[in-house]
Amino acid sequence: MRISRLRFPVLLAAVSASLTLHAEQTDLRVSPPGWWAGMASPKLQLMVHGPDIAGSTVSVNDSEFVIEQVNSLDSPNYLFIDIDIADISPGDYELTFTKQGKEIYKTIYTFRPRAANSAERQGFTQKDTIYLVTPDRFANGDESNDSVAGFVDKADRQAPGGRHGGDIQGMINHLDYIASTGFTQIWSMPLLENAMDDHSYHGYAITDYYRIDPRYGSNALYRQFSQQADEKGVGVIMDMVLNHIGSNHPWMKDKPAKDWIHHNGEFSATTHRRESLHDPHGVEADQKAFSDGWFVPSMPDLNQQNPYLTNYLIQNAIWWVEYANLSGIRVDTYSYSDKAFLSQWTARLTSEYPNLNIVGEEWTTNPVITAYWQEDSYRADGYDSSLPSVMDFPLQDTLVNALKDEETWGTGLVSLYNLLAGDFIYGDPYNLVIFGDNHDMSRIYTQLDESYALWDMAMTFLLTARGIPQIYYGTEILMANPDTDDHGVIRSDFPGGWKNDSIDAFAQQGLSPKQTKAYNRIKSLLSLRKEHPVVTQGKFTHFAPAEGIYVYFRTDEAGKGAMIILNKNEAENDVQLARFEPVLKEFSTASRWGNSNKISVKNASIEVAPKSASVWLLQ
């Protein structure tokens, strides 16, 4: 029987009372922990975990809840229920589990109504700028959850690899800062439970796919964070991990199937040879050594070739998008998962949410391999990918080298030009996520030898070039990691996020003049992106660099345009505009962003400062 939501609390109390003879009932767990009526897929598979539940029969007293089949695998404690939900209505359904003629469990399963226009949600686009946050290091909004009973890894702010206390409430408290600076999307490193003994703060060793780590908050608080961010015009991107789990995940003690974890649950390192997946001369053994291997002993590698695990991971992603109203997903270590699974996973997500954006992490500086994963790119093997976006690591690496290397015929800014000239290999280069750094590499200010001029050139390029820019928290105030590449130092605390911090970057108090200058520059560029959409959505056109100067344009069919000039020279330069006549012929004047300098573009020149980046709006 379907139970109305109004009656549910009373009935649940009655059901709980009737099950007092079944002490193991408290151990029963159903994943996903609820679903929605009206989803695109008419199928749902429940994973039910409970002592000795395998082999049970399942009944439900409502014809709308159609059980197609019930399966057990190798563990005696798991049951999988396939349901046809094509005609399901919102409400609460009572499931009864019977074994050897004896009722052993009862539980309530809830289908909720979907939010209006949920399927049509708009994911992040070129218009957006993503702010990447390490939540443990951003702001401590709730000191009561810094250490939690039952979790070994306690708060230790002095340890680079320890938990420092940042949390979801801290991000909520500073949404105004994020929005007012001009960021329109937040991507936080994983927030799901990481019940690991140490280094749990980074979030990539998940021990519960359906639970926010209590040291960060709760599921409800995460949803509140998303709602409040949305009210300020900021979307939320969730960092998802499909390739591996944490070694303390319950699956390691009780695998649903023998093949749930690669190499029978024993550590065997990956080769990291991603090239093997694309090698026309290669062998399957090398491919499996890459995709089936583990990162480290504490991160067991999942076998997504198991169809039940495939369904589990697909449904988990959909559940979080729907539950938390996400605007996008970032997928960690994308290519390490099974290729066929990735095709299924992305196809299911994009069928449920056609406009959702998903970006995969493929850490390679080879653009051919990066392009392979993006939908609509050419692939010699015919692989079907529905992945909309990929992290543009080739551009990140090239940008740093282009700014630091000597200007010669083949080095310097020309390397950036050469890379972008190869954009034809991508299905959509404008939908790549571009960045100067992230949580796994030295900060961009450090990579550029703490040169403010080079930092400014990098930021100007990233916020005006093709693609969707991502800025790592603290970049706007020149956070650095001098003399070390320790990840715990790279992911240092944001000043002002903890009580009694001597510097409060959120309030712009205590910053050095250079830090204040950097913050104002980022804020100005983000304002430029919002006020002049041509900078974010216009066609990208560039001219080959000459004599240490690189000029490119963003233009649209409405007659709007922007010209960006990067000058790496140590001296001021007089840039003759006649060379750029193929683009400039459509315009008459250029106004420099940030001041009132306005010039005619006809037979004119522009004086540009040494080691500088300038943006000129065209009319």
Side-chain angles (χ1 to χ4, degrees):
M1 123 182 107
R2 185 170 71 255
I3 304 156
S4 74
R5 297 182 66 81
L6 292 176
R7 290 178 54 204
F8 175 60
V10 175
L11 181 67
L12 183 57
V15 170
S16 299
S18 70
L19 292 173
T20 54
L21 295 178
H22 307 294
E24 66 270 28
Q25 173 68 32
T26 58
D27 297 327
L28 192 70
R29 180 170 181 180
V30 183
S31 301
W35 204 245
W36 293 267
M39 301 297 285
S41 174
K43 306 296 182 182
L44 180 66
Q45 184 176 87
L46 304 183
M47 173 195 281
V48 186
H49 179 262
D52 202 33
I53 198 171
S56 300
T57 58
V58 186
S59 61
V60 57
N61 292 330
D62 194 299
S63 60
E64 288 188 12
F65 195 107
V66 180
I67 297 176
E68 294 186 324
Q69 58 179 335
V70 178
N71 291 299
S72 301
L73 304 181
D74 299 312
S75 169
N77 304 315
Y78 286 92
L79 199 67
F80 292 85
I81 309 171
D82 290 324
I83 309 166
D84 183 337
I85 60 171
D87 299 317
I88 205 78
S89 297
D92 300 296
Y93 297 79
E94 185 180 87
L95 279 68
T96 301
F97 298 81
T98 304
K99 192 169 185 179
Q100 297 177 347
K102 193 175 192 177
E103 179 184 304
I104 59 171
Y105 296 115
K106 277 188 178 179
T107 193
I108 301 296
Y109 198 78
T110 301
F111 282 87
R112 302 174 180 85
R114 297 188 76 181
N117 303 313
S118 177
E120 291 74 38
R121 71 184 63 235
Q122 179 59 60
F124 59 90
T125 69
Q126 296 176 67
K127 296 184 294 184
D128 290 304
T129 307
I130 301 168
Y131 194 56
L132 167 58
V133 172
T134 302
D136 181 65
R137 308 300 171 84
F138 188 61
N140 189 348
D142 181 1
E143 294 181 349
S144 70
N145 64 13
D146 289 359
S147 295
V148 174
F151 288 80
V152 175
D153 201 9
K154 308 297 184 182
D156 182 0
R157 196 180 175 195
Q158 303 309 310
R163 299 193 74 97
H164 291 191
D167 48 32
I168 295 172
Q169 189 60 54
M171 293 193 290
I172 291 174
N173 292 349
H174 298 291
L175 281 171
D176 282 338
Y177 169 83
I178 294 169
S180 64
T181 302
F183 296 104
T184 57
Q185 300 282 335
I186 302 173
W187 153 30
S188 78
M189 290 168 63
L191 292 160
L192 298 182
E193 181 192 276
N194 265 244
M196 301 297 289
D197 296 345
D198 56 64
H199 287 79
S200 66
Y201 78 95
H202 60 67
Y204 290 102
I206 292 169
T207 55
D208 191 328
Y209 274 100
Y210 282 101
R211 184 192 188 196
I212 293 292
D213 194 298
R215 291 163 293 186
Y216 287 135
S218 65
N219 288 15
L221 188 64
Y222 183 61
R223 183 163 57 178
Q224 179 184 333
F225 163 63
S226 179
Q227 291 170 343
Q228 292 191 23
D230 182 64
E231 291 169 3
K232 298 181 184 298
V234 177
V236 172
I237 300 168
M238 191 174 200
D239 200 336
M240 295 190 177
V241 186
L242 308 177
N243 177 67
H244 52 266
I245 55 175
S247 56
N248 286 347
H249 194 292
W251 286 340
M252 295 307 293
K253 292 182 178 179
D254 185 11
K255 296 188 290 293
K258 292 178 181 178
D259 65 350
W260 206 255
I261 307 295
H262 279 131
H263 298 288
N264 298 314
E266 298 295 330
F267 174 70
S268 179
T270 175
T271 61
H272 296 289
R273 295 290 183 189
R274 53 185 36 80
E275 294 80 7
S276 64
L277 296 181
H278 317 286
D279 183 0
H281 317 294
V283 296
E284 183 181 1
D286 285 342
Q287 295 175 2
K288 292 180 70 66
F290 165 71
S291 62
D292 294 3
W294 298 24
F295 265 76
V296 290
S298 61
M299 293 182 176
D301 200 76
L302 294 172
N303 175 25
Q304 300 94 3
Q305 291 183 342
N306 182 299
Y308 295 93
L309 179 56
T310 290
N311 270 333
Y312 181 93
L313 294 172
I314 289 172
Q315 293 175 169
N316 176 258
I318 293 171
W319 191 89
W320 278 110
V321 172
E322 197 77 15
Y323 175 82
N325 192 31
L326 302 178
S327 66
I329 298 171
R330 181 263 186 183
V331 184
D332 181 64
T333 58
Y334 188 81
S335 66
Y336 287 81
S337 293
D338 180 74
K339 282 177 64 177
F341 158 75
L342 290 171
S343 185
Q344 294 179 61
W345 187 88
T346 52
R348 277 288 305 279
L349 265 293
T350 53
S351 68
E352 290 286 356
Y353 310 100
N355 301 316
L356 183 74
N357 210 347
I358 306 169
V359 57
E361 179 200 29
E362 171 59 305
W363 195 331
T364 176
T365 57
N366 184 343
V368 175
I369 294 179
T370 303
Y372 178 90
W373 297 105
Q374 190 181 33
E375 64 179 344
D376 297 328
S377 296
Y378 170 76
R379 283 175 284 273
D381 63 1
Y383 177 71
D384 183 16
S385 177
S386 300
L387 182 68
S389 179
V390 190
M391 304 296 299
D392 197 346
F393 280 91
L395 184 65
Q396 186 280 328
D397 181 70
T398 302
L399 175 61
V400 172
N401 292 331
L403 293 174
K404 293 177 66 174
D405 290 348
E406 180 184 358
E407 287 296 310
T408 69
W409 181 88
T411 62
L413 291 172
V414 70
S415 63
L416 190 56
Y417 167 84
N418 290 342
L419 180 78
L420 292 168
D423 272 355
F424 59 85
I425 63 175
Y426 291 107
D428 182 3
Y430 291 87
N431 199 35
L432 299 173
V433 173
I434 62 176
F435 56 101
D437 61 5
N438 65 19
H439 55 294
D440 287 327
M441 62 176 67
S442 287
R443 287 183 170 271
I444 185 63
Y445 191 51
T446 294
Q447 292 184 57
L448 296 175
D449 301 327
E450 298 194 7
S451 164
Y452 180 86
L454 295 183
W455 173 92
D456 181 73
M457 294 173 73
M459 293 301 104
T460 302
F461 175 81
L462 289 170
L463 294 172
T464 58
R466 64 94 173 118
I468 306 168
Q470 166 248 295
I471 304 296
Y472 192 31
Y473 81 100
T475 296
E476 71 272 25
I477 56 166
L478 304 179
M479 284 179 64
N481 55 292
D483 304 320
T484 181
D485 59 358
D486 186 295
H487 284 186
V489 176
I490 291 169
R491 306 161 184 168
S492 292
D493 297 346
F494 191 84
W498 281 253
K499 289 181 180 178
N500 303 317
D501 279 358
S502 59
I503 298 173
D504 185 355
F506 293 115
Q508 298 295 291
Q509 296 177 353
L511 297 178
S512 70
K514 188 178 289 187
Q515 287 178 307
T516 299
K517 181 181 179 182
Y519 175 79
N520 288 334
R521 178 60 171 171
I522 290 290
K523 188 171 183 177
S524 175
L525 288 168
L526 294 180
S527 177
L528 168 72
R529 290 176 61 82
K530 288 186 175 182
E531 293 178 29
H532 299 278
V534 68
V535 173
T536 64
Q537 300 165 69
K539 177 185 177 183
F540 181 89
T541 305
H542 64 170
F543 289 76
E547 299 178 344
I549 294 177
Y550 182 31
V551 178
Y552 59 91
F553 297 82
R554 302 301 297 268
T555 56
D556 63 22
E557 295 181 355
K560 303 292 185 181
M563 175 174 61
I564 298 89
I565 304 176
L566 304 183
N567 177 21
K568 265 184 70 179
N569 295 293
E570 297 288 349
E572 185 177 87
N573 280 75
D574 193 36
V575 179
Q576 300 296 318
L577 298 184
R579 181 183 175 219
F580 313 114
E581 192 268 344
V583 177
L584 289 176
K585 66 183 179 182
E586 303 296 332
F587 304 95
S588 58
T589 62
S591 303
R592 182 169 181 178
W593 177 254
N595 63 35
S596 57
N597 191 357
K598 187 174 184 178
I599 64 168
S600 169
V601 299
K602 306 301 181 184
N603 301 315
S605 63
I606 291 178
E607 290 186 358
V608 291
K611 285 195 176 294
S612 67
S614 56
V615 180
W616 299 78
L617 298 172
L618 304 174
Q619 294 180 323

